[in-house]
Amino acid sequence: MKVNGYRADDLARVGLITRERWVMPLWMSILGVCFRALFRALVWLIRRGAITGPVLVLLIAYGKWDWPGPAALLTGAVLFAIAWWLAHPASFRRVIGARLLGQWRLMVRYRRLWRPAMIGGQLAVVHDEKQYLPVIRRVRSTRWADELRVRLLYGQTPERFALVAENLRHVFGAYRCTAHELKPGVVTLRFYHRDPLEQPLGPLPIQDLPDLRRVELGRTEDAVPFLLALLGTHVLVAGASGAGKGSVLWSLIRALAPLVAHGSVELWVIDPKGGMEMTFGRPLFARYEDTDAEAMAELLEEAADRMQARTQRLKGVTRQHTPTPGDPLIVVLVDELAALTAYLSDRKLRDRIKAALSLLLSQGRAPGFLVVAALQDPRKDVVPFRDLFPTRIALRLTEAEQVDMVLGDGARDRGALCDRIPRALPGVAYVRLDDDPDPVRVRFGYPDDDAIAETCQLYAPHFGPRPILNDEQEAA
């Protein structure tokens, strides 16, 4: 067929005329709608298998045995759940309780507010006049927090969710919200509605012989023990005055006390503040200096020399030192690092200290020399080698910019709001490990003077004087 001498197909191709199109019959349109509705219903039932599965089993039991069948199944399930809860409450809460509570909170909270939250956070996408939202795949809940597993839309990144975490926490009434990548295309949102760290945490119980790969120092905001690996690392502790640096240091010292008595750990301690903090634990320390800057420099240089000697002895034998009573882990603890690296007036001594610390930090992890340093000012000119600390602990800080100085770039965007930690919560900190960019919120235990004195009395090795006790303690 031609129009004015041109073929109709050619004119339709360039848009000058409209090609006749095939129109679907009405019965086929109705059939297609029914198939789509059936498919969506099946998907809905499969995604809610935790609910639809038991209902299906009960219906089958009713069809086969009438009412006694479902009644027997329900009675057996309830008795089994009660027995499980009484025998292993932790696993019951993790496997059953978290799922049931998560489904309840999904229905009453997150389904209702999800669309306005995504639109307000600019996480919804409009394409061809259709609106698409990130999909909630799973919800697990505890008494403290809700964990949502969310499927991202094409083109979205977990960092986009991290940037609007503050917006989302206000929508869902949480005091904190974090966003972490679980796997490509999936992000985990955690909404914390109650804070288990509000209550002070006293001195933690001391294990008989703690594992240096899992040393308990406090509690996380998930109300589980915080375990820190001390082998093959260095630890930087930063916090403003009164933020609770002593809680971190003394929790660490008390946790290591049994190994000090055993001989597999030695504590070399420097307190440039004149001994106001660390003198209480003097019986536990193999080496201790608190007044003479020259002696402090010599202590660090001796540690560096012993580290190099051990390195020569172990090279070709092992790649990681194993502490033993005859060959202990040396923990070099400096209470106020800035007093040695920035505020010391003697430039030569300051250079010697920086050189020894640089050697220990760059080479000490494999041969078993651990540096633990605390400070208030985390600026680069104060701590030029802060990047050599794989484990970083940030307590309350005075400025938002200091968070990334301590924990690394992007830590505050990932939820480490150290500048917002209230003064009423000393010992609360964010911990960032070298192999995990996501900070963990922790509260460290607070050992008081009596707990420190008791630790010294129980675990003081042969070196060091006997701790000074009051009359009641002496009589006991």
Side-chain angles (χ1 to χ4, degrees):
M1 176 182 176
K2 292 187 177 181
V3 179
N4 296 331
Y6 295 95
R7 294 178 57 189
D9 288 345
D10 295 334
L11 295 175
R13 187 177 301 112
V14 297
L16 295 179
I17 65 174
T18 302
R19 179 182 296 175
E20 294 183 3
R21 296 183 178 181
W22 176 74
V23 179
M24 181 182 297
L26 178 61
W27 68 271
M28 294 186 66
S29 300
I30 296 175
L31 188 62
V33 171
C34 293
F35 273 116
R36 284 196 297 269
L38 179 61
F39 177 76
R40 290 175 180 175
L42 289 175
V43 171
W44 187 89
L45 292 173
I46 292 172
R47 287 181 178 176
R48 290 155 179 81
I51 298 176
T52 58
V55 172
L56 181 61
V57 172
L58 292 176
L59 290 176
I60 294 174
Y62 174 75
K64 191 170 184 179
W65 296 297
D66 206 354
W67 286 110
L73 288 177
L74 285 175
T75 303
V78 170
L79 292 177
F80 175 77
I82 293 175
W84 186 0
W85 176 59
L86 293 175
H88 300 283
S91 63
F92 179 83
R93 286 194 297 266
R94 184 176 64 254
V95 177
I96 302 297
R99 293 172 181 267
L100 295 179
L101 185 58
Q103 288 296 318
W104 169 254
R105 291 183 177 173
L106 175 63
M107 291 187 295
V108 302
R109 178 181 295 165
Y110 295 105
R111 289 292 187 197
R112 179 171 55 89
L113 298 175
W114 189 248
R115 180 180 295 275
M118 295 298 100
I119 295 174
Q122 299 182 354
L123 296 172
V125 175
V126 178
H127 179 69
D128 289 341
E129 299 182 355
K130 292 184 178 180
Q131 188 181 71
Y132 300 89
L133 304 175
V135 179
I136 301 176
R137 292 298 188 188
R138 193 184 79 175
V139 180
R140 296 290 183 270
S141 298
T142 66
R143 58 182 299 192
W144 312 109
D146 300 328
E147 180 180 284
L148 280 65
R149 185 175 295 182
V150 179
R151 180 72 184 181
L152 304 180
L153 298 176
Y154 292 136
Q156 290 183 336
T157 63
E159 287 74 16
R160 184 73 187 87
F161 276 77
L163 290 176
V164 299
E166 186 70 7
N167 308 56
L168 296 178
R169 82 168 184 89
H170 285 286
V171 174
F172 296 108
Y175 77 87
R176 199 165 91 87
C177 173
T178 61
H180 308 302
E181 179 181 352
L182 180 64
K183 60 182 180 179
V186 180
V187 66
T188 297
L189 295 177
R190 291 188 65 85
F191 294 95
Y192 295 91
H193 298 283
R194 299 177 61 187
D195 189 4
L197 306 184
E198 287 183 348
Q199 299 300 322
L201 187 62
L204 298 175
I206 301 177
Q207 301 178 7
D208 292 337
L209 281 179
D211 185 355
L212 288 171
R213 295 166 297 182
R214 296 169 56 86
V215 178
E216 183 178 353
L217 300 179
R219 294 289 184 274
T220 70
E221 62 183 338
D222 293 321
V224 298
F226 171 67
L227 305 175
L228 181 63
L230 294 179
L231 289 179
T233 190
H234 301 297
V235 182
L236 178 65
V237 183
S241 178
K245 293 187 293 296
S247 296
V248 181
L249 299 180
W250 282 114
S251 294
L252 176 62
I253 292 172
R254 291 184 73 251
L256 295 178
L259 296 176
V260 171
H262 182 254
S264 54
V265 170
E266 285 188 7
L267 297 174
W268 294 25
V269 178
I270 296 176
D271 187 356
K273 297 184 296 184
M276 287 296 297
E277 180 71 29
M278 290 296 155
T279 301
F280 289 95
R282 178 67 184 90
L284 296 171
F285 306 152
R287 295 288 306 276
Y288 177 73
E289 298 294 340
D290 61 15
T291 54
D292 188 355
E294 176 74 26
M296 298 177 191
E298 291 176 355
L299 184 151
L300 294 173
E301 290 171 340
E302 181 181 348
D305 292 340
R306 288 188 57 175
M307 176 203 68
Q308 292 176 327
R310 181 183 287 178
T311 300
Q312 293 300 315
R313 177 168 53 85
L314 295 180
K315 70 177 183 179
V317 178
T318 182
R319 296 171 59 189
Q320 179 64 55
H321 169 262
T322 301
T324 61
D327 200 16
L329 171 73
I330 306 296
V331 180
V332 180
L333 191 151
V334 183
D335 185 24
E336 182 51 61
L337 186 62
L340 302 180
T341 60
Y343 307 148
L344 190 62
S345 58
D346 191 325
R347 182 177 178 179
K348 291 183 178 180
L349 278 180
R350 192 167 66 243
D351 292 340
R352 287 171 56 189
I353 289 171
K354 287 183 178 180
L357 282 172
S358 298
L359 281 175
L360 290 169
L361 290 169
S362 60
Q363 304 176 21
R365 292 192 293 169
F369 282 77
L370 162 65
V371 177
V372 179
L375 52 84
Q376 297 185 36
D377 189 352
R379 290 175 300 168
K380 192 71 174 179
D381 54 341
V382 175
V383 193
F385 31 66
R386 66 187 180 196
D387 293 336
L388 297 177
F389 289 90
T391 301
R392 307 183 193 184
I393 301 173
L395 297 117
R396 177 175 53 83
L397 299 172
T398 57
E399 300 175 2
E401 294 78 9
Q402 293 179 345
V403 178
D404 289 352
M405 293 181 187
V406 178
L407 299 179
D409 293 339
R412 195 176 189 278
D413 292 336
R414 293 178 178 270
L417 304 179
C418 303
D419 54 304
R420 296 188 182 180
I421 298 176
R423 290 180 175 270
L425 296 180
V428 173
Y430 291 87
V431 181
R432 184 172 182 178
L433 306 179
D434 190 35
D435 58 350
D436 188 358
D438 297 323
V440 179
R441 187 167 175 263
V442 178
R443 184 157 197 174
F444 291 86
Y446 173 67
D448 55 16
D449 294 349
D450 293 337
I452 296 171
E454 181 183 5
T455 304
C456 293
Q457 186 176 24
L458 292 176
Y459 298 103
H462 62 277
F463 51 75
R466 187 172 183 271
I468 300 175
L469 305 177
N470 56 41
D471 295 336
E472 295 179 359
Q473 293 172 325
E474 187 69 29

